[in-house]
Amino acid sequence: MLTARRRVVATAVILTGSLLLTACGGSDSGSSDGKTLRLWHYEGPTSAMGIAWKEAIKEFEATHPGVKVEFEEKSFDQIQKTAPMVLNSSDAPDLMEYNKGNATAGLLSKQGLLTDLTEEAAKRGWDKKLSPSVRTTSLYDTNGVMGSGKWYGVPNYAEYTLVYYNKDLFKKYGIAEPKTFDELTAAMDTFVENKVTPLANGGAAYPAQQYLYQLALSKADRSWVDAYQLYKGRTDFHDAAWTHGAETFADWVKKGYFSKSSSGQNEEAAGVSFTSGKAPILFSGSWWYGRFKTDNKFDWGTFRWPDSKLTLGSGGNLWVVPKASKNKDLAYDFIDITMSKKIQNLLGNSGGVPVAADASAITDPQSKTLIDDFNTLSKNDGLAFYPDWPVPGFYDVLVSGTQKLITGSEKPDDYLSDLQEAYDKGAPKR
């Protein structure tokens, strides 16, 4: 989001210092001795990916005697903001998780900062394990546009957005699980009447922009998504879908569905608002699922956004191998382990959406539902990627704009004009 995800830094231990500082004090720790794999990712330890990748590290070290994994946990924002600078230096790690899409992995591939993985993908069978819809964000052309060209990243999980809801709070106020959009808004009205702010939100990060994008998607179709994300046609931010998204979002602020203070909150604050039992609803990604299984002390459930064929989603964030990686072969081996049945099955049973698991090995009922819903969306061509993907810097534009909608300092029409200007400036001329 992810999505922008993308990604949750839930319960993560955020290391102090900038990305340019390593746990062992600089680039010397990444010397090309074949004995060290320097790995960065930003998944929380109780997330499905965090659990699976911790096991992958054990598996890697067991199958590579004498080789040590130097793992550093970063925040999503750390990597999002400073990756181009870091990857263009001697402090680049050997392997890292990075956000997928034109504005992120696509931009780095275009800048020559990522290793071409095409040969390895074919040799190790990664290309056969990923479905076409999941594979889209692995491939980038010479302009950094996803969907075709060379392999620059490998996702070992998939993701999509859904509505998380606190069943105990719904029961307390006599509200049934919403099956339609009108029932969803009626439920939120009931919460507001009882002085409960219904929606967990984070205006300072990806959650707010994803609410707005989903509202737009409910009035959109595949050609609309292709025009916006893949430049297959003109994107007009004042069309019916974008206008519905912006105006409805602003209206929800006025109705009290979002708190005004959420303009300054990040994704972690949004998640905590839900896990603490304060907010009855959170619309966000499947990446939260594993953490909620661990942290939620109340009865909870999920449902897909009602009355919409499209929702945010894609293959998960990517394993990328920096061009400056000093131990590329070790990085390839680690990716391969995360694609193994053992790690894929663990990821699935921990609340993630694996891309190459044994379906019969997923025994957790909640996890099976999560995976089945993703498979249905993917089969029906319902994945619409993430709003910040199309052009470099668009994530910050969306954050700033949605914050202004929450505080009321900008009207929807002006917000959409700002998006149009930034998009047109950054999109390739075709």
Side-chain angles (χ1 to χ4, degrees), residues 330-349:
L330 295 180
Y332 305 152
D333 287 351
F334 186 86
I335 295 172
D336 212 38
I337 288 172
T338 68
M339 296 290 280
S340 69
K341 291 291 185 185
K342 177 181 179 180
I343 301 304
Q344 287 288 295
N345 293 344
L346 175 60
L347 194 154
N349 280 311

Side-chain angles (χ1 to χ4, degrees), residues 207-217 242 245-246 249 402 405 415:
Q209 59 185 261
Q210 292 186 358
Y211 276 108
L212 195 150
Y213 187 53
Q214 179 60 67
L215 288 166
L217 288 175
W242 278 111
F249 185 92
T402 48
L405 288 180
Y415 164 80

Side-chain angles (χ1 to χ4, degrees), residues 16-33:
T16 58
S18 74
L19 280 168
L20 292 175
L21 298 178
T22 69
C24 294
S27 59
D28 289 343
S29 63
S31 58
S32 182
D33 57 6

Side-chain angles (χ1 to χ4, degrees), residues 5-10 12 40-44 53 71-76 79 97-100 317-318:
R5 168 139 119 83
R6 101 161 68 225
R7 263 1 230 108
V8 179
V9 192
W40 293 357
H41 75 65
Y42 44 79
E43 304 297 340
W53 297 349
F71 164 57
E72 295 184 49
E73 189 163 12
K74 305 295 182 181
S75 76
F76 177 86
I79 292 180
E97 178 187 15
Y98 195 58
N99 197 12
K100 65 278 181 197
N317 285 322
L318 304 172

Side-chain angles (χ1 to χ4, degrees), residues 15 55 77 219 230 289 419:
L15 300 181
E55 184 62 28
D77 283 342
K219 302 296 181 181
L230 303 177
Y289 209 94
L419 297 192

